[in-house]
Structures are given as structure tokens and as C-alpha cells.
Amino acid sequence: MHQAVGPFGTFFQFGYVTRDIQAGLAILERQMGAVRNDLIEDFRDAQGNPVMIRALSHLMLSGAEIELIEPRLDCPSVYLDALPNDGTAIALHHLGYRQPNVPAWQQARDRADAAGLPIAMEGATAHARFAYLDTRPTLGHFTEIVYREDPAG
């Protein structure tokens, strides 16, 4: 099966949010059969202050990445409105589209601007760039454009 590349890149990720990362992982691993790649808890900035994400995990399921995010409830963020009321459930937050390099990421970002899609949040690290496009009015979830350096080289 050929995978079409859309205007924002190649689909690679389902992004979910939860109020309880361990409960969310149990759902994805036990009920859905996802395989965990990592779990990072207690995110902090360079000064040691808590940031908007408390915990984050990446899993794989049938060739797709699942990103599970537990936001901090006392910190404003793009994640809070999507949280399920049930403290042990997960809810879809975004679909992620990968870019092969920084220029492609910038082109996708420019296409979002040209289409009039608001950027709800964007950021960069030494090895990645991301932006959440606010596609909630038409799709019911955010669309994330992502570039990540390949750690293997």
C-alpha cells in the first residue's frame, strides 16, 4: 500500500492526552497491544521549574507512533481542553505529520500560514521542531507538524 504525503507531511503519529500517564499506558499496552519505547516523567526547564508537560511516553502500534501526554493541570497549555473527564481514560489530541528536514518543516509551516490555520503552539529543541496547527474546528483535533533529527545519524 502506497502512503500518500499530504500538505503537512507524512502521517506518523496519534497524539493522546491523559490525566494519569500510568493508567493511559495500561490502556494502550494491555488493551491495544502497543509497545512502549520510552517514558519521561517530571519535565522541567533549565532552571528546574515545572513545565506544561508532566509526563510523556512514545509507543508503537502497527507501524504508527502513539504519543501519550500528561499535562500539568496547573499550567495553561494546548493540552488541557482535550483531557477526558475520566481520570483513567485517554483522548485524542492530535495527528502528527513528519517532515524529512528543516526546510520541509518550514514549508509545511508556511502552508499552514497561507491556509489561514492558526498556530496554537510551536517550539524547537536542539534536535526537533514542532507546531500544533489548530484544525479543531474542521477536524476535531490539532494537527502537529514535526521534524526530528534521526538519532542514528
Side-chain angles (χ1 to χ4, degrees), residues 119-138:
I119 306 298
M121 183 176 85
E122 70 180 295
T125 68
H127 304 286
R129 289 187 185 194
F130 69 93
Y132 286 114
L133 314 180
D134 193 354
T135 52
R136 292 174 301 167
T138 55

Side-chain angles (χ1 to χ4, degrees), residues 14-63:
F14 293 97
Y16 288 91
V17 292
T18 185
R19 294 176 183 273
D20 181 334
I21 196 87
Q22 293 300 331
L25 286 168
I27 290 168
L28 291 168
E29 292 173 328
R30 293 184 196 140
Q31 291 182 17
M32 302 305 298
V35 177
R36 187 185 318 179
N37 289 339
D38 61 23
L39 171 59
I40 306 162
E41 296 189 84
D42 197 23
F43 276 84
R44 297 190 175 259
D45 65 18
Q47 291 74 40
N49 300 310
V51 297
M52 70 179 73
I53 293 176
R54 195 202 73 75
L56 173 77
S57 183
H58 294 97
L59 305 94
M60 291 300 294
L61 181 65
S62 299

Side-chain angles (χ1 to χ4, degrees), residues 36-110:
R36 187 185 318 179
N37 289 339
D38 61 23
L39 171 59
I40 306 162
E41 296 189 84
D42 197 23
F43 276 84
R44 297 190 175 259
D45 65 18
Q47 291 74 40
N49 300 310
V51 297
M52 70 179 73
I53 293 176
R54 195 202 73 75
L56 173 77
S57 183
H58 294 97
L59 305 94
M60 291 300 294
L61 181 65
S62 299
E65 180 177 276
I66 298 174
E67 182 175 59
L68 182 62
I69 299 166
E70 180 188 328
R72 292 189 194 277
L73 301 179
D74 59 350
C75 184
S77 73
V78 299
Y79 306 110
L80 298 180
D81 286 346
L83 282 171
N85 290 330
D86 180 341
T88 61
I90 65 175
L92 183 67
H93 178 263
H94 66 269
L95 298 184
Y97 294 84
R98 176 170 273 158
Q99 310 304 315
N101 52 49
V102 173
W105 183 90
Q106 188 60 54
Q107 288 173 351
R109 172 73 170 76
D110 293 345

